[in-house]
Amino acid sequence: QKEVEQNSGPLSVPEGAIASLNCTYSDRGSQSFFWYRQYSGKSPELIMSIYSNGDKEDGRFTAQLNKASQYVSLLIRDSQPSDSATYLCAVNTPGSQGNLIFGKGTKLSVKP
Amino acid sequence: ETGVTQTPRHLVMGMTNKKSLKCEQHLGHNAMYWYKQSAKKPLELMFVYSLEERVENNSVPSRFSPECPNSSHLFLHLHTLQPEDSALYLCASSQGQGNEKLFFGSGTQLSVL
């Protein structure tokens, strides 16, 4: 059973701090990795994708991938209360016909 | 209307009822999906349609019946559901099947009594 694991949280950080969200996956052959953000009562929205080892930065967001450790993370710099949401890690694995496997999500709360 | 729209937003039904969920995408995408989101569980892929052809059925009980009449519309027909089927049902679309950038609708919050 291919799995994607996330700490459900809640992760609470003060405004302006760095929020670090972590995700591990079981299939070593996984090739593509994604972070979706889901506000309460809303639908998931893609915010970051990463395909190769290392860091990828987009504004205040940085995705980090370590395939050897089967680990992907999302850093949010200068966290804002508007970043409070559940963050879903998703992985595309071979044999899944291109369909994503999602983690349960980590709930982030940014306190003013 | 833009993006992916779903109706109804909320649905309460008894176990003997028959109802349908509707999804429409205005993005010109070729693939459409039904996902189930239950509390404290990951998003579960239920069905995938690519160019109106069902390409995946993830061992979903037959009380859920999808229909894709064209590439813009997707339905999920519900009958004789169980209380454990209560969840948020999300429709999504993507440029092509296997394209990981999914665009989600707002979902239907379903309660089965």
PDB file of all heavy atoms in Angstrom, chain A residues 32 34 36 38 41-44 46 51 88 92 96-100 102-104, chain B residues 9 33 35 37 40-43 45 48 55-56 90 97-98 100-102 104-105:
ATOM      1  N   SER A  32       7.109  12.768  -8.509  1.00  0.00           N
ATOM      2  CA  SER A  32       6.591  14.136  -8.495  1.00  0.00           C
ATOM      3  C   SER A  32       5.909  14.381  -7.155  1.00  0.00           C
ATOM      4  O   SER A  32       5.217  13.506  -6.635  1.00  0.00           O
ATOM      5  CB  SER A  32       5.564  14.330  -9.614  1.00  0.00           C
ATOM      6  OG  SER A  32       6.062  13.857 -10.838  1.00  0.00           O
ATOM      7  N   PHE A  34       3.885  17.361  -4.514  1.00  0.00           N
ATOM      8  CA  PHE A  34       3.046  18.556  -4.579  1.00  0.00           C
ATOM      9  C   PHE A  34       2.563  18.944  -3.193  1.00  0.00           C
ATOM     10  O   PHE A  34       2.358  18.098  -2.320  1.00  0.00           O
ATOM     11  CB  PHE A  34       1.826  18.292  -5.479  1.00  0.00           C
ATOM     12  CG  PHE A  34       2.221  17.755  -6.822  1.00  0.00           C
ATOM     13  CD1 PHE A  34       2.364  16.397  -7.022  1.00  0.00           C
ATOM     14  CD2 PHE A  34       2.496  18.616  -7.865  1.00  0.00           C
ATOM     15  CE1 PHE A  34       2.771  15.892  -8.243  1.00  0.00           C
ATOM     16  CE2 PHE A  34       2.904  18.129  -9.092  1.00  0.00           C
ATOM     17  CZ  PHE A  34       3.038  16.760  -9.275  1.00  0.00           C
ATOM     18  N   TYR A  36      -0.670  21.070  -1.655  1.00  0.00           N
ATOM     19  CA  TYR A  36      -1.943  21.739  -1.845  1.00  0.00           C
ATOM     20  C   TYR A  36      -2.327  22.406  -0.523  1.00  0.00           C
ATOM     21  O   TYR A  36      -2.092  21.872   0.558  1.00  0.00           O
ATOM     22  CB  TYR A  36      -3.043  20.731  -2.232  1.00  0.00           C
ATOM     23  CG  TYR A  36      -3.027  20.292  -3.672  1.00  0.00           C
ATOM     24  CD1 TYR A  36      -2.102  19.347  -4.129  1.00  0.00           C
ATOM     25  CD2 TYR A  36      -3.929  20.810  -4.593  1.00  0.00           C
ATOM     26  CE1 TYR A  36      -2.092  18.937  -5.453  1.00  0.00           C
ATOM     27  CE2 TYR A  36      -3.928  20.407  -5.925  1.00  0.00           C
ATOM     28  CZ  TYR A  36      -2.998  19.467  -6.335  1.00  0.00           C
ATOM     29  OH  TYR A  36      -2.993  19.075  -7.651  1.00  0.00           O
ATOM     30  N   GLN A  38      -5.556  23.917   1.696  1.00  0.00           N
ATOM     31  CA  GLN A  38      -7.013  23.835   1.797  1.00  0.00           C
ATOM     32  C   GLN A  38      -7.467  24.664   2.986  1.00  0.00           C
ATOM     33  O   GLN A  38      -7.238  24.304   4.146  1.00  0.00           O
ATOM     34  CB  GLN A  38      -7.473  22.377   1.946  1.00  0.00           C
ATOM     35  CG  GLN A  38      -8.979  22.210   1.909  1.00  0.00           C
ATOM     36  CD  GLN A  38      -9.421  20.758   1.885  1.00  0.00           C
ATOM     37  OE1 GLN A  38      -8.682  19.868   2.288  1.00  0.00           O
ATOM     38  NE2 GLN A  38     -10.642  20.507   1.408  1.00  0.00           N
ATOM     39  N   GLY A  41     -13.422  24.680   4.920  1.00  0.00           N
ATOM     40  CA  GLY A  41     -14.644  24.797   4.144  1.00  0.00           C
ATOM     41  C   GLY A  41     -14.432  25.054   2.660  1.00  0.00           C
ATOM     42  O   GLY A  41     -15.401  25.277   1.931  1.00  0.00           O
ATOM     43  N   LYS A  42     -13.188  25.018   2.227  1.00  0.00           N
ATOM     44  CA  LYS A  42     -12.876  25.270   0.816  1.00  0.00           C
ATOM     45  C   LYS A  42     -12.226  24.038   0.185  1.00  0.00           C
ATOM     46  O   LYS A  42     -11.953  23.056   0.865  1.00  0.00           O
ATOM     47  CB  LYS A  42     -11.932  26.475   0.690  1.00  0.00           C
ATOM     48  CG  LYS A  42     -12.471  27.752   1.300  1.00  0.00           C
ATOM     49  CD  LYS A  42     -13.688  28.271   0.555  1.00  0.00           C
ATOM     50  CE  LYS A  42     -14.134  29.624   1.100  1.00  0.00           C
ATOM     51  NZ  LYS A  42     -15.355  30.108   0.403  1.00  0.00           N
ATOM     52  N   SER A  43     -11.973  24.131  -1.109  1.00  0.00           N
ATOM     53  CA  SER A  43     -11.364  23.015  -1.822  1.00  0.00           C
ATOM     54  C   SER A  43      -9.842  23.171  -1.868  1.00  0.00           C
ATOM     55  O   SER A  43      -9.318  24.280  -1.712  1.00  0.00           O
ATOM     56  CB  SER A  43     -11.940  22.925  -3.228  1.00  0.00           C
ATOM     57  OG  SER A  43     -11.764  24.149  -3.907  1.00  0.00           O
ATOM     58  N   PRO A  44      -9.106  22.085  -2.071  1.00  0.00           N
ATOM     59  CA  PRO A  44      -7.643  22.170  -2.154  1.00  0.00           C
ATOM     60  C   PRO A  44      -7.193  22.979  -3.359  1.00  0.00           C
ATOM     61  O   PRO A  44      -7.833  22.965  -4.418  1.00  0.00           O
ATOM     62  CB  PRO A  44      -7.216  20.702  -2.290  1.00  0.00           C
ATOM     63  CG  PRO A  44      -8.372  19.900  -1.787  1.00  0.00           C
ATOM     64  CD  PRO A  44      -9.585  20.690  -2.140  1.00  0.00           C
ATOM     65  N   LEU A  46      -3.472  23.932  -5.514  1.00  0.00           N
ATOM     66  CA  LEU A  46      -2.048  23.642  -5.678  1.00  0.00           C
ATOM     67  C   LEU A  46      -1.213  24.903  -5.439  1.00  0.00           C
ATOM     68  O   LEU A  46      -1.495  25.951  -6.026  1.00  0.00           O
ATOM     69  CB  LEU A  46      -1.774  23.113  -7.084  1.00  0.00           C
ATOM     70  CG  LEU A  46      -0.320  22.769  -7.399  1.00  0.00           C
ATOM     71  CD1 LEU A  46       0.149  21.584  -6.561  1.00  0.00           C
ATOM     72  CD2 LEU A  46      -0.146  22.471  -8.887  1.00  0.00           C
ATOM     73  N   TYR A  51      10.174  18.325  -8.370  1.00  0.00           N
ATOM     74  CA  TYR A  51      10.431  17.083  -9.082  1.00  0.00           C
ATOM     75  C   TYR A  51      11.846  16.543  -8.862  1.00  0.00           C
ATOM     76  O   TYR A  51      12.104  15.366  -9.104  1.00  0.00           O
ATOM     77  CB  TYR A  51      10.218  17.280 -10.588  1.00  0.00           C
ATOM     78  CG  TYR A  51       8.832  17.759 -10.931  1.00  0.00           C
ATOM     79  CD1 TYR A  51       8.548  19.119 -11.041  1.00  0.00           C
ATOM     80  CD2 TYR A  51       7.785  16.866 -11.139  1.00  0.00           C
ATOM     81  CE1 TYR A  51       7.271  19.569 -11.347  1.00  0.00           C
ATOM     82  CE2 TYR A  51       6.510  17.298 -11.449  1.00  0.00           C
ATOM     83  CZ  TYR A  51       6.264  18.651 -11.548  1.00  0.00           C
ATOM     84  OH  TYR A  51       4.995  19.091 -11.857  1.00  0.00           O
ATOM     85  N   LEU A  88      -1.854  19.867   2.312  1.00  0.00           N
ATOM     86  CA  LEU A  88      -1.885  18.482   1.866  1.00  0.00           C
ATOM     87  C   LEU A  88      -0.654  18.185   1.013  1.00  0.00           C
ATOM     88  O   LEU A  88      -0.387  18.904   0.038  1.00  0.00           O
ATOM     89  CB  LEU A  88      -3.144  18.211   1.034  1.00  0.00           C
ATOM     90  CG  LEU A  88      -4.486  18.584   1.657  1.00  0.00           C
ATOM     91  CD1 LEU A  88      -5.612  18.340   0.650  1.00  0.00           C
ATOM     92  CD2 LEU A  88      -4.734  17.772   2.904  1.00  0.00           C
ATOM     93  N   ASN A  92       3.018  11.570  -6.761  1.00  0.00           N
ATOM     94  CA  ASN A  92       2.683  10.819  -7.971  1.00  0.00           C
ATOM     95  C   ASN A  92       3.651   9.648  -8.070  1.00  0.00           C
ATOM     96  O   ASN A  92       4.860   9.849  -8.138  1.00  0.00           O
ATOM     97  CB  ASN A  92       2.822  11.723  -9.195  1.00  0.00           C
ATOM     98  CG  ASN A  92       2.314  11.065 -10.454  1.00  0.00           C
ATOM     99  OD1 ASN A  92       2.125   9.861 -10.510  1.00  0.00           O
ATOM    100  ND2 ASN A  92       2.075  11.864 -11.471  1.00  0.00           N
ATOM    101  N   SER A  96       0.534   4.340 -10.676  1.00  0.00           N
ATOM    102  CA  SER A  96      -0.727   4.921 -10.194  1.00  0.00           C
ATOM    103  C   SER A  96      -1.460   5.620 -11.324  1.00  0.00           C
ATOM    104  O   SER A  96      -2.388   6.382 -11.083  1.00  0.00           O
ATOM    105  CB  SER A  96      -0.454   5.897  -9.049  1.00  0.00           C
ATOM    106  OG  SER A  96       0.315   6.994  -9.516  1.00  0.00           O
ATOM    107  N   GLN A  97      -1.021   5.356 -12.555  1.00  0.00           N
ATOM    108  CA  GLN A  97      -1.639   5.952 -13.737  1.00  0.00           C
ATOM    109  C   GLN A  97      -1.661   7.472 -13.655  1.00  0.00           C
ATOM    110  O   GLN A  97      -2.590   8.103 -14.135  1.00  0.00           O
ATOM    111  CB  GLN A  97      -3.060   5.406 -13.929  1.00  0.00           C
ATOM    112  CG  GLN A  97      -3.107   3.924 -14.193  1.00  0.00           C
ATOM    113  CD  GLN A  97      -4.518   3.437 -14.446  1.00  0.00           C
ATOM    114  OE1 GLN A  97      -5.299   3.281 -13.521  1.00  0.00           O
ATOM    115  NE2 GLN A  97      -4.830   3.184 -15.687  1.00  0.00           N
ATOM    116  N   GLY A  98      -0.656   8.015 -13.038  1.00  0.00           N
ATOM    117  CA  GLY A  98      -0.556   9.462 -12.944  1.00  0.00           C
ATOM    118  C   GLY A  98      -1.440  10.065 -11.885  1.00  0.00           C
ATOM    119  O   GLY A  98      -1.503  11.280 -11.758  1.00  0.00           O
ATOM    120  N   ASN A  99      -2.115   9.224 -11.124  1.00  0.00           N
ATOM    121  CA  ASN A  99      -3.024   9.758 -10.120  1.00  0.00           C
ATOM    122  C   ASN A  99      -2.300   9.974  -8.806  1.00  0.00           C
ATOM    123  O   ASN A  99      -1.449   9.189  -8.400  1.00  0.00           O
ATOM    124  CB  ASN A  99      -4.206   8.814  -9.939  1.00  0.00           C
ATOM    125  CG  ASN A  99      -4.987   8.649 -11.217  1.00  0.00           C
ATOM    126  OD1 ASN A  99      -5.251   9.619 -11.916  1.00  0.00           O
ATOM    127  ND2 ASN A  99      -5.333   7.417 -11.556  1.00  0.00           N
ATOM    128  N   LEU A 100      -2.652  11.065  -8.137  1.00  0.00           N
ATOM    129  CA  LEU A 100      -1.956  11.466  -6.931  1.00  0.00           C
ATOM    130  C   LEU A 100      -2.408  10.666  -5.717  1.00  0.00           C
ATOM    131  O   LEU A 100      -3.576  10.295  -5.598  1.00  0.00           O
ATOM    132  CB  LEU A 100      -2.204  12.952  -6.652  1.00  0.00           C
ATOM    133  CG  LEU A 100      -1.701  13.934  -7.697  1.00  0.00           C
ATOM    134  CD1 LEU A 100      -2.045  15.358  -7.295  1.00  0.00           C
ATOM    135  CD2 LEU A 100      -0.202  13.786  -7.883  1.00  0.00           C
ATOM    136  N   PHE A 102      -2.576  11.275  -1.692  1.00  0.00           N
ATOM    137  CA  PHE A 102      -2.552  12.394  -0.765  1.00  0.00           C
ATOM    138  C   PHE A 102      -2.262  11.928   0.658  1.00  0.00           C
ATOM    139  O   PHE A 102      -2.662  10.836   1.065  1.00  0.00           O
ATOM    140  CB  PHE A 102      -3.905  13.120  -0.765  1.00  0.00           C
ATOM    141  CG  PHE A 102      -4.131  13.997  -1.959  1.00  0.00           C
ATOM    142  CD1 PHE A 102      -4.617  13.480  -3.143  1.00  0.00           C
ATOM    143  CD2 PHE A 102      -3.868  15.362  -1.889  1.00  0.00           C
ATOM    144  CE1 PHE A 102      -4.838  14.298  -4.243  1.00  0.00           C
ATOM    145  CE2 PHE A 102      -4.087  16.184  -2.986  1.00  0.00           C
ATOM    146  CZ  PHE A 102      -4.573  15.654  -4.160  1.00  0.00           C
ATOM    147  N   GLY A 103      -1.590  12.801   1.431  1.00  0.00           N
ATOM    148  CA  GLY A 103      -1.515  12.621   2.867  1.00  0.00           C
ATOM    149  C   GLY A 103      -2.772  13.184   3.522  1.00  0.00           C
ATOM    150  O   GLY A 103      -3.622  13.783   2.867  1.00  0.00           O
ATOM    151  N   LYS A 104      -2.869  12.966   4.846  1.00  0.00           N
ATOM    152  CA  LYS A 104      -4.055  13.433   5.571  1.00  0.00           C
ATOM    153  C   LYS A 104      -4.054  14.945   5.765  1.00  0.00           C
ATOM    154  O   LYS A 104      -5.091  15.528   6.065  1.00  0.00           O
ATOM    155  CB  LYS A 104      -4.130  12.769   6.944  1.00  0.00           C
ATOM    156  CG  LYS A 104      -4.346  11.268   6.899  1.00  0.00           C
ATOM    157  CD  LYS A 104      -4.413  10.691   8.310  1.00  0.00           C
ATOM    158  CE  LYS A 104      -4.543   9.177   8.262  1.00  0.00           C
ATOM    159  NZ  LYS A 104      -4.617   8.585   9.625  1.00  0.00           N
TER     160      LYS A 104
ATOM    161  N   ARG B   9     -24.144  22.216  -2.887  1.00  0.00           N
ATOM    162  CA  ARG B   9     -23.062  22.395  -1.919  1.00  0.00           C
ATOM    163  C   ARG B   9     -23.271  21.512  -0.698  1.00  0.00           C
ATOM    164  O   ARG B   9     -22.296  21.060  -0.076  1.00  0.00           O
ATOM    165  CB  ARG B   9     -22.985  23.859  -1.477  1.00  0.00           C
ATOM    166  CG  ARG B   9     -22.511  24.816  -2.569  1.00  0.00           C
ATOM    167  CD  ARG B   9     -21.062  24.540  -2.989  1.00  0.00           C
ATOM    168  NE  ARG B   9     -20.141  24.564  -1.866  1.00  0.00           N
ATOM    169  CZ  ARG B   9     -19.565  25.657  -1.380  1.00  0.00           C
ATOM    170  NH1 ARG B   9     -19.834  26.831  -1.911  1.00  0.00           N
ATOM    171  NH2 ARG B   9     -18.731  25.580  -0.343  1.00  0.00           N
ATOM    172  N   TYR B  33     -12.342  13.974 -12.239  1.00  0.00           N
ATOM    173  CA  TYR B  33     -12.137  13.050 -11.123  1.00  0.00           C
ATOM    174  C   TYR B  33     -13.216  13.242 -10.060  1.00  0.00           C
ATOM    175  O   TYR B  33     -13.697  14.365  -9.849  1.00  0.00           O
ATOM    176  CB  TYR B  33     -10.788  13.326 -10.437  1.00  0.00           C
ATOM    177  CG  TYR B  33      -9.580  13.404 -11.338  1.00  0.00           C
ATOM    178  CD1 TYR B  33      -9.345  14.522 -12.131  1.00  0.00           C
ATOM    179  CD2 TYR B  33      -8.651  12.373 -11.373  1.00  0.00           C
ATOM    180  CE1 TYR B  33      -8.222  14.605 -12.945  1.00  0.00           C
ATOM    181  CE2 TYR B  33      -7.523  12.447 -12.181  1.00  0.00           C
ATOM    182  CZ  TYR B  33      -7.315  13.568 -12.959  1.00  0.00           C
ATOM    183  OH  TYR B  33      -6.191  13.646 -13.761  1.00  0.00           O
ATOM    184  N   TYR B  35     -13.316  12.648  -5.938  1.00  0.00           N
ATOM    185  CA  TYR B  35     -12.585  12.321  -4.721  1.00  0.00           C
ATOM    186  C   TYR B  35     -13.553  12.349  -3.544  1.00  0.00           C
ATOM    187  O   TYR B  35     -14.503  13.133  -3.510  1.00  0.00           O
ATOM    188  CB  TYR B  35     -11.483  13.353  -4.437  1.00  0.00           C
ATOM    189  CG  TYR B  35     -10.212  13.169  -5.212  1.00  0.00           C
ATOM    190  CD1 TYR B  35     -10.046  13.764  -6.459  1.00  0.00           C
ATOM    191  CD2 TYR B  35      -9.162  12.426  -4.685  1.00  0.00           C
ATOM    192  CE1 TYR B  35      -8.862  13.610  -7.162  1.00  0.00           C
ATOM    193  CE2 TYR B  35      -7.968  12.279  -5.389  1.00  0.00           C
ATOM    194  CZ  TYR B  35      -7.828  12.874  -6.622  1.00  0.00           C
ATOM    195  OH  TYR B  35      -6.661  12.720  -7.312  1.00  0.00           O
ATOM    196  N   GLN B  37     -13.499  13.001   0.629  1.00  0.00           N
ATOM    197  CA  GLN B  37     -12.697  13.512   1.733  1.00  0.00           C
ATOM    198  C   GLN B  37     -13.464  13.328   3.045  1.00  0.00           C
ATOM    199  O   GLN B  37     -14.474  13.990   3.264  1.00  0.00           O
ATOM    200  CB  GLN B  37     -12.324  14.982   1.529  1.00  0.00           C
ATOM    201  CG  GLN B  37     -11.307  15.485   2.547  1.00  0.00           C
ATOM    202  CD  GLN B  37     -10.801  16.881   2.246  1.00  0.00           C
ATOM    203  OE1 GLN B  37     -11.535  17.747   1.790  1.00  0.00           O
ATOM    204  NE2 GLN B  37      -9.503  17.109   2.492  1.00  0.00           N
ATOM    205  N   LYS B  40     -10.160  13.218   9.038  1.00  0.00           N
ATOM    206  CA  LYS B  40      -8.983  12.491   9.518  1.00  0.00           C
ATOM    207  C   LYS B  40      -8.551  11.372   8.588  1.00  0.00           C
ATOM    208  O   LYS B  40      -7.876  10.434   9.012  1.00  0.00           O
ATOM    209  CB  LYS B  40      -9.219  11.945  10.925  1.00  0.00           C
ATOM    210  CG  LYS B  40      -9.590  13.043  11.915  1.00  0.00           C
ATOM    211  CD  LYS B  40      -9.600  12.573  13.346  1.00  0.00           C
ATOM    212  CE  LYS B  40      -9.949  13.751  14.241  1.00  0.00           C
ATOM    213  NZ  LYS B  40      -9.786  13.523  15.646  1.00  0.00           N
ATOM    214  N   LYS B  41      -8.949  11.452   7.320  1.00  0.00           N
ATOM    215  CA  LYS B  41      -8.485  10.479   6.327  1.00  0.00           C
ATOM    216  C   LYS B  41      -7.970  11.237   5.106  1.00  0.00           C
ATOM    217  O   LYS B  41      -8.408  12.358   4.829  1.00  0.00           O
ATOM    218  CB  LYS B  41      -9.634   9.551   5.913  1.00  0.00           C
ATOM    219  CG  LYS B  41     -10.104   8.632   7.021  1.00  0.00           C
ATOM    220  CD  LYS B  41     -11.252   7.765   6.560  1.00  0.00           C
ATOM    221  CE  LYS B  41     -10.808   6.671   5.630  1.00  0.00           C
ATOM    222  NZ  LYS B  41     -11.930   5.737   5.287  1.00  0.00           N
ATOM    223  N   PRO B  42      -7.049  10.631   4.361  1.00  0.00           N
ATOM    224  CA  PRO B  42      -6.561  11.315   3.154  1.00  0.00           C
ATOM    225  C   PRO B  42      -7.651  11.389   2.092  1.00  0.00           C
ATOM    226  O   PRO B  42      -8.602  10.607   2.107  1.00  0.00           O
ATOM    227  CB  PRO B  42      -5.415  10.412   2.672  1.00  0.00           C
ATOM    228  CG  PRO B  42      -5.146   9.457   3.773  1.00  0.00           C
ATOM    229  CD  PRO B  42      -6.378   9.345   4.582  1.00  0.00           C
ATOM    230  N   LEU B  43      -7.472  12.309   1.183  1.00  0.00           N
ATOM    231  CA  LEU B  43      -8.324  12.342  -0.006  1.00  0.00           C
ATOM    232  C   LEU B  43      -8.259  10.991  -0.704  1.00  0.00           C
ATOM    233  O   LEU B  43      -7.181  10.475  -0.982  1.00  0.00           O
ATOM    234  CB  LEU B  43      -7.822  13.409  -0.972  1.00  0.00           C
ATOM    235  CG  LEU B  43      -8.328  14.834  -0.823  1.00  0.00           C
ATOM    236  CD1 LEU B  43      -7.541  15.767  -1.722  1.00  0.00           C
ATOM    237  CD2 LEU B  43      -9.801  14.915  -1.149  1.00  0.00           C
ATOM    238  N   LEU B  45      -9.203   8.848  -4.027  1.00  0.00           N
ATOM    239  CA  LEU B  45      -9.637   8.880  -5.415  1.00  0.00           C
ATOM    240  C   LEU B  45     -10.705   7.812  -5.632  1.00  0.00           C
ATOM    241  O   LEU B  45     -10.512   6.653  -5.278  1.00  0.00           O
ATOM    242  CB  LEU B  45      -8.448   8.632  -6.339  1.00  0.00           C
ATOM    243  CG  LEU B  45      -8.740   8.618  -7.825  1.00  0.00           C
ATOM    244  CD1 LEU B  45      -9.236   9.973  -8.302  1.00  0.00           C
ATOM    245  CD2 LEU B  45      -7.505   8.201  -8.596  1.00  0.00           C
ATOM    246  N   VAL B  48     -11.863   8.160 -12.214  1.00  0.00           N
ATOM    247  CA  VAL B  48     -11.166   9.028 -13.149  1.00  0.00           C
ATOM    248  C   VAL B  48     -11.778   8.834 -14.531  1.00  0.00           C
ATOM    249  O   VAL B  48     -11.977   7.700 -14.970  1.00  0.00           O
ATOM    250  CB  VAL B  48      -9.660   8.699 -13.233  1.00  0.00           C
ATOM    251  CG1 VAL B  48      -8.952   9.674 -14.181  1.00  0.00           C
ATOM    252  CG2 VAL B  48      -9.018   8.734 -11.856  1.00  0.00           C
ATOM    253  N   VAL B  55     -11.323   5.568 -16.711  1.00  0.00           N
ATOM    254  CA  VAL B  55     -10.026   4.906 -16.747  1.00  0.00           C
ATOM    255  C   VAL B  55      -9.653   4.307 -15.411  1.00  0.00           C
ATOM    256  O   VAL B  55      -8.695   3.550 -15.311  1.00  0.00           O
ATOM    257  CB  VAL B  55      -8.908   5.861 -17.219  1.00  0.00           C
ATOM    258  CG1 VAL B  55      -9.170   6.287 -18.650  1.00  0.00           C
ATOM    259  CG2 VAL B  55      -8.822   7.083 -16.315  1.00  0.00           C
ATOM    260  N   GLU B  56     -10.380   4.657 -14.372  1.00  0.00           N
ATOM    261  CA  GLU B  56     -10.069   4.082 -13.075  1.00  0.00           C
ATOM    262  C   GLU B  56     -11.301   4.070 -12.197  1.00  0.00           C
ATOM    263  O   GLU B  56     -12.059   5.030 -12.161  1.00  0.00           O
ATOM    264  CB  GLU B  56      -8.953   4.854 -12.375  1.00  0.00           C
ATOM    265  CG  GLU B  56      -8.464   4.200 -11.090  1.00  0.00           C
ATOM    266  CD  GLU B  56      -7.041   4.567 -10.757  1.00  0.00           C
ATOM    267  OE1 GLU B  56      -6.303   4.979 -11.664  1.00  0.00           O
ATOM    268  OE2 GLU B  56      -6.676   4.447  -9.577  1.00  0.00           O
ATOM    269  N   LEU B  90     -15.504  15.745  -3.638  1.00  0.00           N
ATOM    270  CA  LEU B  90     -14.845  16.770  -4.448  1.00  0.00           C
ATOM    271  C   LEU B  90     -14.691  16.301  -5.877  1.00  0.00           C
ATOM    272  O   LEU B  90     -14.238  15.194  -6.138  1.00  0.00           O
ATOM    273  CB  LEU B  90     -13.460  17.075  -3.878  1.00  0.00           C
ATOM    274  CG  LEU B  90     -13.418  17.829  -2.546  1.00  0.00           C
ATOM    275  CD1 LEU B  90     -12.058  17.672  -1.891  1.00  0.00           C
ATOM    276  CD2 LEU B  90     -13.727  19.297  -2.767  1.00  0.00           C
ATOM    277  N   GLN B  97      -5.304  13.265 -18.240  1.00  0.00           N
ATOM    278  CA  GLN B  97      -5.196  12.274 -17.175  1.00  0.00           C
ATOM    279  C   GLN B  97      -3.729  12.004 -16.914  1.00  0.00           C
ATOM    280  O   GLN B  97      -2.958  11.787 -17.821  1.00  0.00           O
ATOM    281  CB  GLN B  97      -5.906  10.983 -17.582  1.00  0.00           C
ATOM    282  CG  GLN B  97      -6.167  10.071 -16.411  1.00  0.00           C
ATOM    283  CD  GLN B  97      -5.235   8.885 -16.343  1.00  0.00           C
ATOM    284  OE1 GLN B  97      -4.749   8.434 -17.365  1.00  0.00           O
ATOM    285  NE2 GLN B  97      -4.998   8.363 -15.182  1.00  0.00           N
ATOM    286  N   GLY B  98      -3.342  12.096 -15.632  1.00  0.00           N
ATOM    287  CA  GLY B  98      -1.943  11.988 -15.292  1.00  0.00           C
ATOM    288  C   GLY B  98      -1.279  13.331 -15.120  1.00  0.00           C
ATOM    289  O   GLY B  98      -0.151  13.408 -14.663  1.00  0.00           O
ATOM    290  N   GLU B 100      -0.722  16.369 -12.979  1.00  0.00           N
ATOM    291  CA  GLU B 100      -0.923  16.417 -11.541  1.00  0.00           C
ATOM    292  C   GLU B 100      -1.525  17.719 -11.044  1.00  0.00           C
ATOM    293  O   GLU B 100      -1.895  17.817  -9.878  1.00  0.00           O
ATOM    294  CB  GLU B 100       0.404  16.185 -10.820  1.00  0.00           C
ATOM    295  CG  GLU B 100       1.091  14.895 -11.224  1.00  0.00           C
ATOM    296  CD  GLU B 100       2.237  15.102 -12.191  1.00  0.00           C
ATOM    297  OE1 GLU B 100       2.309  16.184 -12.798  1.00  0.00           O
ATOM    298  OE2 GLU B 100       3.055  14.184 -12.325  1.00  0.00           O
ATOM    299  N   LYS B 101      -1.613  18.729 -11.901  1.00  0.00           N
ATOM    300  CA  LYS B 101      -2.193  19.988 -11.446  1.00  0.00           C
ATOM    301  C   LYS B 101      -3.704  19.840 -11.513  1.00  0.00           C
ATOM    302  O   LYS B 101      -4.314  19.956 -12.582  1.00  0.00           O
ATOM    303  CB  LYS B 101      -1.722  21.155 -12.288  1.00  0.00           C
ATOM    304  CG  LYS B 101      -2.219  22.498 -11.757  1.00  0.00           C
ATOM    305  CD  LYS B 101      -1.581  23.651 -12.481  1.00  0.00           C
ATOM    306  CE  LYS B 101      -2.169  24.990 -12.060  1.00  0.00           C
ATOM    307  NZ  LYS B 101      -1.934  25.294 -10.652  1.00  0.00           N
ATOM    308  N   LEU B 102      -4.285  19.549 -10.362  1.00  0.00           N
ATOM    309  CA  LEU B 102      -5.725  19.357 -10.260  1.00  0.00           C
ATOM    310  C   LEU B 102      -6.403  20.659  -9.866  1.00  0.00           C
ATOM    311  O   LEU B 102      -5.912  21.393  -9.011  1.00  0.00           O
ATOM    312  CB  LEU B 102      -6.042  18.292  -9.203  1.00  0.00           C
ATOM    313  CG  LEU B 102      -5.506  16.890  -9.447  1.00  0.00           C
ATOM    314  CD1 LEU B 102      -5.789  16.006  -8.239  1.00  0.00           C
ATOM    315  CD2 LEU B 102      -6.121  16.285 -10.691  1.00  0.00           C
ATOM    316  N   PHE B 104      -9.859  21.826  -8.247  1.00  0.00           N
ATOM    317  CA  PHE B 104     -10.965  21.243  -7.499  1.00  0.00           C
ATOM    318  C   PHE B 104     -12.182  22.158  -7.499  1.00  0.00           C
ATOM    319  O   PHE B 104     -12.058  23.401  -7.495  1.00  0.00           O
ATOM    320  CB  PHE B 104     -10.559  21.002  -6.044  1.00  0.00           C
ATOM    321  CG  PHE B 104      -9.649  19.822  -5.845  1.00  0.00           C
ATOM    322  CD1 PHE B 104      -8.273  19.980  -5.902  1.00  0.00           C
ATOM    323  CD2 PHE B 104     -10.163  18.561  -5.593  1.00  0.00           C
ATOM    324  CE1 PHE B 104      -7.421  18.893  -5.706  1.00  0.00           C
ATOM    325  CE2 PHE B 104      -9.320  17.471  -5.404  1.00  0.00           C
ATOM    326  CZ  PHE B 104      -7.954  17.642  -5.462  1.00  0.00           C
ATOM    327  N   GLY B 105     -13.346  21.530  -7.474  1.00  0.00           N
ATOM    328  CA  GLY B 105     -14.574  22.249  -7.197  1.00  0.00           C
ATOM    329  C   GLY B 105     -14.719  22.474  -5.702  1.00  0.00           C
ATOM    330  O   GLY B 105     -13.894  22.014  -4.906  1.00  0.00           O
TER     331      GLY B 105
END
